[in-house]
Amino acid sequence: MGDFNNVVCGEEKMGGNGVRRRRVEEYTSCMNCCNLIDLGFTGPKFAWTNKRDLPSLIQGRLYRVWANLEWKSCFPEAHVKHLARINSNHCPLLLALDNPPIRTGERPFQFQSIWLSHESFPPIVRDAWEGNQQNVRRAINTFTLKAINWNKEEFGNIL
């Protein structure tokens, strides 16, 4: 089971035992005493899961990247991204020290094989084909839009 010693509020954990307020206070007090700031994150909300079905499912943020103000002033564009879980119950974290280059033009659609292993993906395919069986082009366009939006919600748009 995950160690939730660094969860700082109830929204960072779902399922299992509640967040212990005293532990949260001790943890945040230590980080404040050390003058550290949490760099935050983008991507999936929970970086760990026990991979169980409801009602035994537990998920949590679990990981943080801390920095002091001196480090942050050296890397003002630094940001953290929770990447997709692949064959694990943990999300890898990516610490990028600068902003990605600005893309010109629209990014081409790219199917990701990891989608096939996600439980909420089959309805995306089914919904795209419903009512579009006679128009393949419309079905593909509908699927593409639905898959892009779904990917952004589920995986934080890592494409």
Side-chain angles (χ1 to χ4, degrees), residues 138-156:
R138 184 181 302 148
I140 290 171
N141 288 339
T142 302
F143 168 76
T144 300
L145 291 172
K146 287 180 176 285
I148 288 170
N149 290 330
W150 174 82
N151 179 68
K152 199 178 290 185
E153 290 173 12
E154 284 298 323
F155 296 103

Side-chain angles (χ1 to χ4, degrees), residues 70-84:
E70 184 179 0
W71 185 91
K72 186 66 175 154
S73 69
C74 291
F75 302 99
E77 302 295 324
H79 58 281
V80 178
K81 187 181 279 191
H82 289 177
L83 302 177

